[in-house]
Amino acid sequence: MDIFERLARKLDELPQGFPHTESGVELRILRHIFDEEDAAMALKLTPRFETAEDIARRLEQPVAETRTRLDEMAIKGQIGSFKMGGHQMYRLMPFVIGIYEQQRQSRLTHELVHLFEEYLPVLSQVAGGHPPHVARVIPAHGAISPELVLLPHEDIRQIIDRAKSFRVQDCICRREQALLGKQCHHATKTCLQFSMEADAYAYFKLDGDIITREEALKIAIEAENEGLVHTTHNVKDLPAGFLCNCCSCCCGLIRSLKEYHSPFVLAKSNYVAHIDPDSCQACGVCRDERCPMDAIEEGEGVYQVIDNRCIGCGVCVITCPGEAIALVARSEADRDLIAQDMQDWGQKKLER
């Protein structure tokens, strides 16, 4: 078994999975992202966070040499590196959400995106084929009425208010589709990262920009006004994470849900859109321009929501000229499971 087959097996042991294919496309992806030396080092890491000192001690290698190597691999998006408890930590990342999303700038090539598109149908069935969901929807803040009381993990403003560090990068999905010749009309620089650690993104000079809390909130609000869907990890407690702003034409999560029928890729929010038939002007904006899930249909002179298709993103609410659409709370029986934290999520995912 060569080094890339061994790495593929190790990635497949993670909760997110990295399934084998008859074509071997997953191995071609790894050979594109890693050379043999980097793949060998990745095999020595674990999904647990460790400092460079911890890893050097475990591998019986010099600390300075180990740190340099880890930093080089983190810059190439081959492994994860995050600031935790004031220390820079390193770990083996899953392929998604993880290694692939970090292949930005010159590393996201025409060859790699074609390989990913070939692999996505198989990967989607594994990652999104069983609970819990990989990611979840956060309702648009502009769609929240005073009657709705959101928990902290459901509120984009509360998440941003609690965080201490922010970075914005280009959307990997829109960059991928552009390389495939499918140019999206939505804004590109919308992928937000956040951390509860101060100066969390100062260690590496990566692509994207370190921004303020106010700038992060502005990007999020502009994104939902544009009709983009807020998504994040499907957990309640996040010391660090992402806040994606997704479109239905490019987003791998929404595409996997719609095109590849992977029901556990994206959890709907705890809310569902409702159209008041007395206020509906039957203009069709909600169905034709806003809904990313084709969850709105025309009835007898009015429009109505298909509840089991609605993901509760709320982007239809914001632009309704008759203010006929509102988000209402789902019943407890209709709510998707949200894990407490990433450890809880991983344990539940591995029960597959």
Side-chain angles (χ1 to χ4, degrees):
M1 185 184 301
D2 74 12
I3 195 74
F4 298 103
E5 291 174 311
R6 289 170 57 201
L7 182 56
R9 287 197 176 187
K10 186 164 185 175
L11 290 172
D12 196 36
E13 291 171 357
L14 300 179
Q16 294 83 350
F18 189 67
H20 166 77
T21 66
E22 291 298 321
S23 70
V25 63
E26 74 282 5
L27 300 179
R28 283 180 277 148
I29 289 172
L30 292 183
R31 290 189 180 101
H32 188 96
I33 295 173
F34 295 84
D35 60 25
E36 289 192 4
E37 188 177 351
D38 289 335
M41 184 63 178
L43 277 168
K44 297 174 183 177
L45 300 185
T46 76
R48 298 185 303 275
F49 288 102
E50 298 178 282
T51 65
E53 290 80 4
D54 291 336
I55 295 169
R57 188 180 306 112
R58 179 165 58 78
L59 301 182
E60 299 182 345
Q61 295 178 350
V63 173
E65 177 184 313
T66 302
R67 185 186 301 279
T68 298
R69 184 70 186 286
L70 294 169
D71 287 347
E72 289 173 351
M73 293 181 68
I75 289 170
K76 290 186 283 189
Q78 297 168 332
I79 62 174
S81 182
F82 306 90
K83 187 176 180 182
M84 296 179 65
H87 301 284
Q88 199 68 28
M89 311 291 277
Y90 305 85
R91 71 177 181 112
L92 177 70
M93 279 195 299
F95 180 65
V96 292
I97 299 169
I99 293 171
Y100 182 68
E101 286 75 15
Q102 296 306 313
Q103 302 306 302
R104 302 173 189 268
Q105 297 289 12
S106 61
R107 296 187 62 80
L108 189 69
T109 64
H110 189 267
E111 179 185 356
L112 180 57
V113 299
H114 275 275
L115 290 172
F116 182 76
E117 283 296 305
E118 180 182 342
Y119 192 40
L120 184 57
V122 178
L123 181 62
S124 295
Q125 290 301 308
V126 170
H130 56 89
H133 297 77
V134 175
R136 63 181 172 87
V137 172
I138 303 173
H141 192 272
I144 303 303
S145 66
E147 292 77 25
L148 292 179
V149 179
L150 273 66
L151 296 173
H153 65 271
E154 299 176 308
D155 189 340
I156 195 81
R157 283 183 182 266
Q158 291 192 59
I159 293 172
I160 290 174
D161 284 345
R162 289 170 55 222
K164 295 180 180 178
S165 297
F166 305 89
R167 183 167 64 188
V168 62
Q169 297 174 290
D170 285 352
C171 171
I172 187 75
C173 299
R174 288 181 205 116
R175 290 194 62 188
E176 175 200 308
Q177 292 300 305
L179 285 170
L180 293 170
K182 303 173 184 177
Q183 194 65 48
C184 178
H185 69 277
H186 291 293
T188 301
K189 209 163 194 175
T190 60
C191 185
L192 294 168
Q193 291 178 308
F194 68 92
S195 173
M196 302 303 169
E197 296 271 343
D199 300 319
Y201 306 114
Y203 184 77
F204 289 110
K205 303 300 181 185
L206 302 176
D207 68 304
D209 300 315
I210 296 173
I211 58 175
T212 65
R213 176 181 288 105
E214 291 73 23
E215 289 171 324
L217 181 59
K218 183 173 184 287
I219 290 168
I221 298 303
E222 288 177 348
E224 64 185 45
N225 287 337
E226 194 176 321
L228 303 179
V229 178
H230 302 316
T231 63
T232 191
H233 287 292
N234 186 32
V235 301
K236 297 176 182 178
D237 297 336
L238 272 176
F242 67 88
L243 289 171
C244 280
N245 295 291
C246 304
C247 58
S248 59
C249 54
C250 300
C251 172
L253 294 169
I254 296 177
R255 288 178 55 219
S256 292
L257 194 60
K258 294 176 67 175
E259 297 175 30
Y260 304 125
H261 311 292
S262 302
F264 295 101
V265 164
L266 186 62
K268 56 187 178 286
S269 80
N270 287 335
Y271 306 90
V272 63
H274 172 74
I275 300 176
D276 177 10
D278 295 330
S279 303
C280 179
Q281 298 177 4
C283 64
V285 170
C286 57
R287 183 193 66 178
D288 301 333
E289 301 177 19
R290 301 294 285 185
C291 183
M293 288 300 299
D294 305 322
I296 299 177
E297 62 184 0
E298 187 174 7
E300 297 180 2
V302 296
Y303 286 78
Q304 57 193 20
V305 176
I306 307 170
D307 288 0
N308 62 2
R309 288 192 62 83
C310 176
I311 56 176
C313 64
V315 299
C316 60
V317 177
I318 300 171
T319 54
C320 178
E323 299 183 355
I325 314 177
L327 288 182
V328 298
R330 295 183 188 271
S331 67
E332 289 292 335
D334 191 34
R335 296 188 176 192
D336 290 332
L337 172 67
I338 303 176
Q340 189 62 39
D341 53 32
M342 290 304 297
Q343 182 176 352
D344 178 41
W345 181 89
Q347 289 173 344
K348 286 181 168 64
K349 199 73 171 175
L350 286 172
E351 292 171 359
R352 68 181 188 267

